[in-house]
Amino acid sequence: MNIDKAVNISDLGRLAQRRLPKVIFDFLDGGAEDEITLRANREGFDRYRFRPRLLTANAKRDLSVTLFGETFKVPFMIGPTGLNGIHWRHADIALAKAAADAGAGFTLSTASTSSIEEVGASTSGIKWFQLYPWADRAFCARLIERAKASGYKALLVTVDSVNAGRRERDARNRFAHEVTLTPSVVLDGLMHPDWLFSVWVGGGGMPKMPNVAEFLPPGANAAAMAEFTRSRRNPMLSWDDMAFLKREWGGPMLIKGVLTAEDARLAREAGADGVVVSNHGGRQLDGSLATIEALPEVVEAAGDAVVMIDGGFRRGSDIVKALALGAKGVLLGRATLYGVAAAGQPGAARALSILQAEVDRVLALLGCHSVAELGRHHIAEV
Ligand SMILES: Cc1cc2nc3c(=O)[nH]c(=O)nc-3n(C[C@H](O)[C@H](O)[C@H](O)COP(=O)(O)O)c2cc1C
């Protein structure tokens, strides 16, 4: 794949689509039900326009942000996505390395295909760990212990998925954290030889989720792990559990999936240091608010808690809009996944460098000297 030809994130998306079989690309790209929220995440950015200021002598711009005492070179980081190894072999490590090289953070999912320890040791870059509170408190406490021992700096607890959403593309393709080998899936695989040989044949079929392996009998296969993730969702979770997780972790903790002022307040009361405004990339509750629409009320309710956001970020201008509306940083989902699925670590690096250049250009045209300077006055709601 010639990723240098990709001038924006959409181009990387097209390259990823070309390299992956449909069943895999649909898993990466798709959303829940009618994909209303998936589209709304993108369309929401159009409701906000810039109010540029002129002649500000801003030849150099500072893109850095400081979160929980750590300084990042750019105001965006790679967010948690599960099963990354189905797109590119050892993709978690490729993404973590690309992030470290770009001075961006990396978040490892509970459902990663490389372990907490492997990714922890793979770079000296700043890493966060995302916890799915599957099963019980002992499960959560054990993963927290491992993430602490491996030097992860912040814990993101994803709470929008304690009940399962429904992705109809996956249902049609019979993809459920494992591939059903129907004749059309086999044919599709054969038509994507680069993916077939490097990921499927080279990796020995469906990648496993090593973080959950110790909760299963020795030698459990990927299907058993997929079943674990389905059967151990815990819809009885409550804010009390969040307070428990904060005590176990001790460090900075963010609740991921918040879309309302009410829950932002409850997150703070439970001891969270921050929230991630997120609708899981439109993969859970279809018809929910676009994240950029929910951002202002969450920022207002969050007080001094750190507000991060994800959902539909494909342009530097999207990122700058969110920062101007009060987010402290942006998490990337599909943007860097497209890159890694198209071309591994260089593809992820390309996605990050495209976004860095775009953020810098927007700041320049907006008359800003730094990300820190951004504020509500840079934005009009239309
Ligand atoms: C393929 C895929 C897998 C994901 N897996 C996880 C996960 O394991 N944990 C999690 O908290 N969020 C997961 N998410 C949601 C992302 O963290 C993030 O909220 C979302 O992708 C942001 O939207 P965007 O992809 O449009 O940027 C996943 C998203 C995608 C696309």
Side-chain angles (χ1 to χ4, degrees):
M1 293 282 169
N2 187 356
I3 45 157
D4 296 336
K5 284 195 180 149
V7 302
N8 60 27
I9 299 296
S10 299
D11 288 349
L12 286 175
R14 277 187 288 278
L15 291 177
Q17 187 165 18
R18 228 179 279 162
R19 183 175 162 274
L20 297 177
K22 183 175 184 308
V23 55
I24 306 300
F25 183 75
D26 276 352
F27 164 68
L28 188 169
D29 204 50
E33 296 178 356
D34 294 314
E35 303 191 336
I36 292 168
T37 297
L38 178 71
R39 285 190 298 278
N41 277 347
R42 295 281 316 121
E43 289 161 7
F45 294 116
D46 295 345
R47 293 182 39 196
Y48 298 97
R49 306 271 166 92
F50 292 118
R51 301 180 66 246
R53 299 302 308 276
L54 306 170
L55 300 175
T56 59
N58 69 340
K60 277 212 173 103
R61 280 81 48 187
D62 177 4
L63 269 56
S64 68
V65 289
T66 301
L67 300 168
F68 306 114
E70 310 270 1
T71 299
F72 299 83
K73 272 196 200 150
V74 286
F76 50 84
M77 63 191 292
I78 298 183
T81 52
L83 284 188
N84 289 339
I86 194 67
H87 309 301
W88 187 273
R89 230 174 136 196
H90 310 306
D92 295 307
I93 290 172
L95 286 161
K97 286 187 171 169
D101 290 349
F106 171 75
T107 315
L108 186 74
S109 164
T110 300
S112 60
T113 47
S114 298
S115 71
I116 293 172
E117 291 77 13
E118 279 173 289
V119 175
S122 69
T123 72
S124 57
I126 300 165
K127 285 163 290 265
W128 292 3
F129 180 66
Q130 175 265 329
L131 179 72
Y132 270 129
W134 288 326
D136 51 20
R137 286 189 172 186
F139 171 88
C140 296
R142 173 67 184 137
L143 290 182
I144 284 175
E145 182 192 317
R146 290 173 60 184
K148 268 203 265 194
S150 293
Y152 291 73
K153 301 286 186 196
L155 184 73
L156 252 72
V157 185
T158 301
V159 296
D160 59 11
S161 319
V162 297
N163 290 292
R166 173 127 166 120
R167 291 168 216 147
E168 295 185 358
R169 294 199 217 180
D170 290 349
R172 252 179 233 112
N173 295 331
R174 296 175 61 195
F175 181 84
H177 291 94
E178 54 185 322
V179 176
T180 308
L181 292 175
T182 60
S184 65
V185 164
V186 171
L187 186 63
D188 198 12
L190 291 170
M191 285 164 68
H192 295 88
D194 184 60
W195 175 89
L196 180 69
F197 288 106
S198 61
V199 174
W200 195 259
V201 178
M206 190 70 197
K208 294 184 180 176
M209 293 180 219
N211 297 336
V212 303
E214 70 174 272
F215 302 95
L216 292 156
N221 60 15
M225 293 178 184
E227 176 52 25
F228 179 90
T229 69
R230 276 194 294 275
S231 64
R232 303 300 203 286
R233 282 180 200 271
N234 181 359
M236 288 307 288
L237 276 182
S238 73
W239 290 106
D240 289 344
D241 295 292
M242 299 304 110
F244 164 79
L245 296 177
K246 173 65 191 179
R247 281 195 303 278
E248 286 291 308
W249 171 250
M253 182 177 98
L254 298 95
I255 306 291
K256 177 171 181 278
V258 170
L259 288 173
T260 61
E262 297 91 309
D263 280 342
R265 278 186 217 107
L266 290 171
R268 282 181 68 198
E269 283 167 24
D273 305 275
V275 294
V276 182
V277 177
S278 177
N279 51 33
H280 218 101
R283 293 159 80 84
Q284 282 293 109
L285 174 61
D286 197 28
S288 67
L289 285 169
T291 52
I292 197 78
E293 293 166 347
L295 180 64
E297 70 172 73
V298 173
V299 166
E300 206 185 316
D304 56 5
V306 170
V307 178
M308 307 280 292
I309 183 169
D310 70 21
F313 287 83
R314 306 286 182 272
R315 284 282 184 192
S317 56
D318 305 334
I319 294 168
V320 174
K321 285 177 186 177
L323 298 170
L325 288 170
K328 293 283 180 272
V330 167
L331 298 173
L332 304 171
R334 295 179 184 86
T336 32
L337 271 187
Y338 291 145
V340 82
Q345 186 181 333
R350 179 83 186 143
L352 293 168
S353 76
I354 287 171
L355 290 172
Q356 170 166 8
E358 288 185 356
V359 168
D360 185 52
R361 192 178 313 115
V362 173
L363 288 182
L365 294 170
L366 202 47
C368 283
H369 304 81
S370 69
V371 157
E373 219 175 84
L374 285 168
R376 196 69 180 75
H377 54 283
H378 287 111
I379 297 282
E381 196 175 344
V382 293

